[in-house]
Amino acid sequence: MTDSFQKASDAQSGRVENFDAIVIGVGVSGLYQLYRLRELGLSVRCLEDGGGVGGTWYWNRYPGCRFDSESESYGYSFSKELLQEWDWKEHYSGQPENERYLNYVADKFDLRRDIQFNSRVTSAVFDVRANRWEVRLESGQRMRAQFVVAAVGILSARNIPPFEGVDSFKGESFHTSRWPKEKVDLTGKRVAVIGTGATAVQMIPIIAKEVGHLTVFQRTANYTAPLRNSLVSDETQRRFKATYPEIHKRCKETTGGFLHDFDRRAALDLPREERRAVYEQLWSLPGFSKWLGNFRDIMTDRVANEDFAEFVREKIRARVKDPAVAEKLVPKDHPFGSKRVPLETEYYEAYNRDNVQLVDIKETPIERITPKGIKTSDREYEFDVIIYATGFDAITGSMTRIDFRGEGGQSLKDKWANGMRTYLQLVTAGFPNLFIATNTAFCNYTVCAETIVEWIADCIRYVRENGYSRIVATPQAEDEWVAHTNEVGSRTLLSSANGWFVGGNIEGKARAFLLYANPAPAYRAKCAEVAAKGYEGFVLQ
Ligand code: NA7
């Protein structure tokens, strides 16, 4: 019987399959979680909405999509064999290659046999008497498991703003995270891009060369920095493979899990000329060096931040020929790094092209989408294609779009209505045996995702080996963690902007620190300490 026939017949017959654990999502975290749980000898079913593995790297197929992390620091570190087998072709690897990598991992570790694709989870209800979750799919299929691990991604619930008339547009429209697998031919077309976040910044310079005319609708100008990508030479490839232990050790020690780390000096302790020399040096380096390799107070001191922000503004002005366009592209209303800094390649040069126009929608807001295009407060623009590069209902959206029901039938969506509430970013009180395997530390994705996945696997093993059937965080531990997260976040400049880090990108979304802003080593140490103390802050039964 084929998989889809099996599913259809299960849905019709009401047959409920049983597993030790269900993993929702098969991106970077879910794939590794499956591997670790299987290593424990658990029966596991992995449920994936998409038609293949990869999560972010499956869905985001828009032109120009790539890592902003150094490739050698983003790949998994758990398998020495894998590290030696895989060659990274670019220093900042592109989506097609990243998807191939994750498929290679799935095949190498024979993970596919436990993955059910095209399976969207709609609800998960905890049965307090049986200590099991009942998970239901859009198809009607049901299954039960003692543990559920939600590896649902931090940036997977796409955000299409509720513009009036969205469905009335007669041309083609795409959200960047649902870009079709088949090539989208933009040749000669009139194209709109709404949004200027990390996604748009990667995509715009590439499609600008292809389209007939491109109109970019910008709500907030962003600080960006040059990516400076290049091919990995054979010699560098050999160096990666020979020094992976050092690479991973470094990523475990740095503030954000990257190869970069903050300069221990305070910016303003240096005379202006010396500071400038440091900025120029950082600017010439690839990747996030300009953000995460900057002076230590860049994320905490407004004056230090403004000093660097002004340097970035000068860099933008120097690249855009039309001073009026340049001024629109220069960010002035939030500190550098308080939103995720997009890394770019020829982004500003795109605005020097005759076929690219920038529309500032703070000056002339979008009033509605029309059958022909986009109507702002001053005119209607006609398009063949509208591209929504409008981001995500980050971190909480991928959880709350599943109807999780915990003890007493409590809904997670209701519980988080005023902001995310977790203990250790990993669990939430009132929802036993549910783990959140997404990296919400301020940390290079895979680096901390591995830690989180391993922590969850160890916790599940502990529960089983000690004869317990459930584990749940106490409300008190959660309260303390939320207060601590807010306190740590408020020491930084992260709340000074309206980005997804704090839920500020979505109208009506409660503002909260969604990322844990303490340095990654401190986060790792805290999680390890909780485990070492027999899962302090949890009730085990
Ligand atoms: P982002 O970084 O959240 O950017 C989304 C963009 O869409 C940003 O420019 C937003 O403007 C804009 N946006 C969102 N809602 C609207 C409305 N209602 N009207 C106009 N413009 C809007 O998402 P990305 O996909 O670029 O990047 C997400 C992450 O992926 C990134 O951080 C990396 O980690 C990888 P705003 O700035 O909010 O004014």
Side-chain angles (χ1 to χ4, degrees):
M1 198 183 265
T2 66
D3 191 36
S4 57
F5 277 133
Q6 179 71 56
K7 278 189 275 174
S9 97
D10 286 351
Q12 272 165 18
S13 68
R15 193 172 86 91
V16 180
E17 281 179 282
N18 275 285
F19 300 96
D20 294 323
I22 288 173
V23 176
I24 309 174
V26 72
V28 168
S29 305
L31 209 51
Y32 183 39
Q33 192 73 70
L34 170 58
Y35 172 84
R36 291 301 289 220
L37 293 180
R38 225 206 236 168
E39 289 244 297
L40 292 180
L42 268 64
S43 62
V44 188
R45 171 65 57 89
C46 202
L47 300 169
E48 167 57 49
D49 191 12
V53 302
T56 284
W57 305 109
Y58 172 84
W59 293 109
N60 287 270
R61 297 170 184 277
Y62 62 83
C65 180
R66 63 177 62 255
F67 292 157
D68 282 343
S69 302
E70 286 69 36
S71 305
E72 73 275 21
S73 77
Y74 193 99
Y76 291 116
S77 71
F78 71 86
S79 161
K80 282 190 185 143
E81 231 180 70
L82 173 65
L83 287 163
Q84 295 307 313
E85 283 167 12
W86 186 261
D87 288 345
W88 292 108
K89 296 194 174 58
E90 293 177 274
H91 282 277
Y92 301 90
S93 179
Q95 180 274 332
E97 188 68 359
N98 306 341
E99 191 187 12
R100 263 195 295 281
Y101 170 71
L102 292 164
N103 273 284
Y104 182 83
V105 172
D107 291 332
K108 176 173 174 61
F109 299 104
D110 186 24
L111 298 174
R112 276 181 217 282
R113 65 185 153 90
D114 291 324
I115 304 172
Q116 185 178 313
F117 293 108
N118 304 308
S119 297
R120 187 177 181 80
V121 174
T122 51
S123 71
V125 178
F126 190 67
D127 176 344
V128 277
R129 272 170 304 188
N131 287 321
R132 295 186 85 75
W133 284 93
E134 179 161 314
V135 172
R136 191 179 280 263
L137 305 184
E138 205 169 43
S139 61
Q141 194 189 357
R142 290 182 299 151
M143 48 192 78
R144 287 165 76 87
Q146 185 180 5
F147 301 98
V148 168
V149 183
V152 288
I154 57 172
L155 296 160
S156 53
R158 74 192 145 143
N159 168 44
I160 296 193
F163 296 123
E164 222 179 290
V166 163
D167 294 330
S168 69
F169 181 57
K170 294 277 187 261
E172 287 182 292
S173 55
F174 308 101
H175 187 275
T176 46
S177 75
R178 289 292 181 280
W179 200 262
K181 282 186 184 166
E182 313 70 48
K183 177 163 168 53
V184 178
D185 186 8
L186 298 174
T187 318
K189 293 189 176 155
R190 299 164 302 170
V191 177
V193 171
I194 306 177
T196 50
T199 294
V201 163
Q202 288 187 333
M203 181 180 61
I204 285 168
I206 293 175
I207 65 170
K209 294 177 184 156
E210 191 183 335
V211 301
H213 192 273
L214 178 66
T215 310
V216 178
F217 292 86
Q218 172 185 272
R219 184 166 71 176
T220 312
N222 250 326
Y223 298 94
T224 68
L227 174 64
R228 305 198 194 287
N229 188 24
S230 56
L231 295 176
V232 174
S233 67
D234 291 347
E235 192 192 333
T236 304
Q237 195 76 252
R238 279 194 294 277
R239 180 171 57 76
F240 287 164
K241 291 187 181 181
T243 60
Y244 269 126
E246 285 89 329
I247 291 171
H248 298 136
K249 181 168 178 289
R250 167 95 181 142
C251 291
K252 286 263 159 77
E253 290 167 355
T254 55
T255 308
F258 285 87
L259 293 162
H260 318 281
D261 206 2
F262 291 105
D263 187 324
R264 292 291 118 205
R265 296 172 296 177
L268 302 177
D269 285 352
L270 270 71
R272 185 172 186 279
E273 286 315 306
E274 273 183 52
R275 273 195 324 266
R276 286 266 148 172
V278 173
Y279 295 160
E280 288 291 356
Q281 163 68 7
L282 289 173
W283 206 252
S284 70
L285 296 173
F288 280 133
S289 40
K290 306 89 176 169
W291 185 16
L292 306 175
N294 213 311
F295 292 106
R296 67 172 155 81
D297 46 355
I298 186 104
M299 292 298 288
T300 53
D301 183 321
R302 271 189 179 270
V303 180
N305 187 290
E306 176 57 22
D307 192 60
F308 185 68
E310 194 48 37
F311 172 85
V312 180
R313 292 180 196 124
E314 284 170 23
K315 290 288 183 198
I316 297 171
R317 289 185 184 112
R319 285 170 63 185
V320 182
K321 286 191 190 138
D322 180 338
V325 176
E327 256 352 88
K328 284 184 186 170
L329 289 165
V330 166
K332 301 182 186 88
D333 63 356
H334 61 283
F336 174 85
S338 56
K339 292 170 97 164
R340 185 354 184 122
V341 178
L343 298 182
E344 54 84 24
T345 306
E346 297 178 11
Y347 176 62
Y348 295 101
E349 286 69 22
Y351 295 96
N352 294 335
R353 298 174 64 94
D354 292 339
N355 69 336
V356 177
Q357 181 187 2
L358 180 67
V359 175
D360 181 338
I361 54 173
K362 277 205 172 121
E363 274 172 19
T364 54
I366 294 178
E367 287 182 347
R368 58 176 296 128
I369 309 294
T370 68
K372 289 183 181 163
I374 297 176
K375 165 90 177 69
T376 67
S377 59
D378 75 335
R379 56 167 280 204
E380 183 176 13
Y381 296 81
E382 293 188 11
F383 297 111
D384 303 306
V385 181
I386 298 178
I387 301 173
Y388 292 91
T390 41
F392 302 88
D393 180 358
I395 299 182
T396 52
S398 47
M399 288 294 291
T400 55
R401 67 183 171 171
I402 297 171
D403 187 13
F404 282 106
R405 300 275 166 168
E407 291 166 323
Q410 183 188 13
S411 126
L412 184 69
K413 195 172 176 185
D414 290 348
K415 181 180 170 183
W416 285 6
N418 295 319
M420 182 171 83
R421 296 186 60 79
T422 72
Y423 177 40
L424 303 175
Q425 311 296 105
L426 298 175
V427 290
T428 188
F431 293 76
N433 296 358
L434 171 66
F435 298 91
I436 306 166
T438 53
N439 169 11
T440 55
F442 196 79
C443 183
N444 197 356
Y445 197 83
T446 313
V447 174
C448 284
E450 282 191 326
T451 305
I452 287 162
V453 162
E454 288 161 13
W455 190 95
I456 292 170
D458 285 347
C459 179
I460 289 176
R461 187 185 44 181
Y462 182 90
V463 171
R464 289 165 60 91
E465 284 181 358
N466 288 281
Y468 298 115
S469 44
R470 58 186 264 163
I471 180 166
V472 65
T474 66
Q476 189 198 344
E478 181 175 284
D479 286 346
E480 286 169 10
W481 181 259
V482 171
H484 167 64
T485 304
N486 290 336
E487 195 268 320
V488 171
S490 60
R491 279 191 244 142
T492 69
L493 298 174
L494 291 180
S495 64
S496 315
N498 282 329
W500 62 262
F501 288 169
V502 291
N505 61 325
I506 306 276
E507 221 174 298
K509 181 166 177 173
R511 273 183 90 88
F513 288 102
L514 299 176
L515 288 185
Y516 178 59
N518 237 1
Y523 176 58
R524 206 173 284 116
K526 175 67 184 170
C527 293
E529 183 194 322
V530 165
K533 289 183 175 168
Y535 295 91
E536 188 180 45
F538 288 88
V539 175
L540 288 129
Q541 286 172 323

